[in-house]
Amino acid sequence: MEKIEANRNFANKLWNCCKFVTGNALRDVDEAELSELGVSGPITGEEFKSLSLPERYIVSKCHDLVKSVTSDIENYQLGAAGSKVYEFLWDQYADWYIEISKTRLYEGLGGGDEDEAKAARRVLVYILDTSLRLLHPYMPYVTEQLWHHLPRSSASDEQAAHALMLSDWPQMDDTNPLVRSQEAISSFECFQALTRSIRNARAEYNVEPGKRISAVVVASGDLKVELETELKSLVALAKLDPESVSVCEAGSDEAKAAAAEDSVQLVVQDGVEAFLPLSGLIDPEKERKRLQKQQEKLENEIKKLAGRLQSKGFVEKAPTAVVDKAKAELAELEDQAKKVESSLEALPV
């Protein structure tokens, strides 16, 4: 039953991806561009080089997927192949690229550049079309239906019908590898790690979901340039204040000033850090009251549980498993109390 529910949820996710592409990204696009968006073959090296970092990343991951799935199917590893397409569509395409594409398509999120928007539409359609071709052996009816809603290139003279089941596999020529960039993959994985670190810090400090916070990102070399270029994507995904976020060179005066400020330091990877000013993360007085209330509650629970464990009647009569569970709960509560105390001490006066 769980597998049926999981597959139903995946079909819904796939449908929602298609709905976003056709109903949002391609809305108001003229017929000339729609005819150009039909996928007639792999993205070329020349076109690939013209793309921005997130687009180069998702195309590289998609082409890696094509190679891996093709190999798995040829070796009858059908379950592994299907799982890889599932994970790519859900984790990479839907959760990351579709969200980033919104910063190209919508002016309110930083869009407005028509060339950038065109590239995003091209990549959205290309990745979805390629994924539907890979999924077709597993979900023939759903993928066929969805594919007919996408822009499509003209059918060849050899095709009996213009259908997904008769279209080319994404990689027809094994002697001509699909274009990819390991550098783009590594750079974007750093961007993902940075986004996750900021999100985790927001959760740890109980920042209100809609609140925009400040951040200074420290990096160097090409990675600094890539992160700076994708600042609007970081702003959108990590909910940062666009007026109070910057990327600076490691070792610069700005980086030293950020490190000296009362802030949360996030070490993303070697050479990449982020500093989140505490003043923007929390209201010190409000946070102090919240932590004091939590501290009082924990102290009462610790006192109550410690009293039970000090009672000879409980320790001697209760089953060993119950006593051990109570001891583990006490240790956990004491650990939580120490963390709350540390958080209180770290608050600015």
Side-chain angles (χ1 to χ4, degrees):
M1 194 64 182
E2 287 182 7
K3 286 186 177 180
I4 293 174
E5 289 180 0
N7 289 329
R8 178 204 62 190
N9 293 340
F10 178 64
N12 285 340
K13 191 76 168 180
L14 193 59
W15 186 86
N16 283 327
C17 288
C18 190
K19 183 182 177 183
F20 171 79
V21 173
T22 58
N24 290 274
L26 302 184
R27 187 174 54 198
D28 301 327
V29 173
D30 58 46
E31 288 297 325
E33 185 181 344
L34 283 175
S35 64
E36 292 174 358
L37 287 173
V39 178
S40 57
I43 280 181
T44 63
E46 184 178 353
E47 182 182 3
F48 180 81
K49 289 177 184 176
S50 70
L51 299 174
S52 298
L53 176 62
E55 283 74 24
R56 282 184 281 121
Y57 168 80
I58 199 67
V59 170
S60 295
K61 294 294 283 185
C62 180
H63 286 174
D64 285 349
L65 177 72
V66 170
K67 181 180 178 181
S68 180
V69 168
T70 301
S71 174
D72 284 342
I73 290 177
E74 287 176 345
N75 290 288
Y76 301 101
Q77 301 294 320
L78 304 181
S83 295
K84 289 173 183 175
V85 183
Y86 175 101
E87 290 166 6
F88 170 78
L89 272 168
W90 199 298
D91 299 337
Q92 300 299 331
Y93 184 65
D95 287 357
W96 285 97
Y97 186 67
I98 282 183
E99 293 306 311
I100 285 180
S101 73
K102 294 173 184 177
T103 67
R104 281 95 162 100
L105 300 170
Y106 305 141
E107 288 188 19
L109 293 174
D113 185 303
E114 186 52 36
D115 290 337
E116 204 176 48
K118 264 189 166 183
R121 288 192 289 267
R122 160 69 165 145
V123 171
L124 281 167
V125 172
Y126 178 78
I127 301 298
L128 185 53
D129 181 287
T130 303
S131 299
L132 290 176
R133 293 173 194 240
L134 295 176
L135 266 179
H136 189 64
Y138 298 90
M139 305 170 70
Y141 300 108
V142 172
T143 53
E144 186 73 57
Q145 178 66 25
L146 294 178
W147 188 74
H148 281 270
H149 287 274
L150 295 178
R152 291 167 291 146
S153 57
S154 301
S156 67
D157 295 335
E158 298 174 357
Q159 286 182 304
H162 199 195
L164 177 58
M165 69 180 296
L166 298 176
S167 64
D168 287 342
W169 187 251
Q171 186 176 14
M172 295 296 288
D173 183 5
D174 292 339
T175 62
N176 189 17
L178 300 176
V179 64
R180 71 184 298 277
S181 168
Q182 185 56 48
E183 184 182 352
I185 291 174
S186 299
S187 295
F188 191 77
E189 284 177 346
C190 175
F191 173 90
Q192 289 176 311
L194 174 60
T195 303
R196 290 189 190 102
S197 295
I198 296 173
R199 286 173 172 174
N200 290 342
R202 291 179 63 102
E204 186 178 342
Y205 284 87
N206 296 298
V207 179
E208 294 174 5
K211 184 178 180 181
R212 299 281 175 177
I213 62 174
S214 304
V216 177
V217 179
V218 179
S220 57
D222 293 339
L223 195 52
K224 173 188 174 290
V225 176
E226 295 281 22
L227 291 174
E228 208 162 21
T229 304
E230 288 305 321
L231 205 53
K232 63 182 179 183
S233 299
L234 184 64
V235 165
L237 295 178
K239 293 187 179 177
L240 302 177
D241 182 354
E243 303 299 324
S244 305
V245 61
S246 61
V247 180
C248 61
E249 187 72 35
S252 66
D253 291 341
E254 189 180 352
K256 291 174 183 176
E261 190 177 352
D262 194 9
S263 59
V264 176
Q265 181 184 10
L266 307 174
V267 179
V268 180
Q269 66 177 50
D270 187 26
V272 180
E273 296 176 300
F275 295 91
L276 311 179
L278 275 173
S279 58
L281 279 177
I282 55 174
D283 178 337
E285 201 55 44
K286 187 177 178 181
E287 182 65 6
R288 183 175 284 105
K289 288 180 181 178
R290 187 189 72 81
L291 288 172
Q292 286 173 341
K293 187 176 179 181
Q294 187 178 356
Q295 186 180 48
E296 185 180 347
K297 181 182 177 182
L298 285 169
E299 285 174 353
N300 289 334
E301 290 179 358
I302 288 170
K303 186 177 179 180
K304 183 179 178 181
L305 196 53
R308 285 179 67 195
L309 288 169
Q310 288 170 3
S311 168
K312 289 185 179 181
F314 173 73
V315 175
E316 291 174 359
K317 295 178 181 178
T320 304
V322 174
V323 175
D324 290 343
K325 184 181 178 182
K327 288 179 179 178
E329 288 177 359
L330 179 62
E332 187 178 341
L333 289 170
E334 288 173 339
D335 184 55
Q336 289 178 22
K338 286 179 183 177
K339 288 178 180 178
V340 169
E341 187 176 353
S342 298
S343 297
L344 277 167
E345 291 173 357
L347 284 174
V349 179

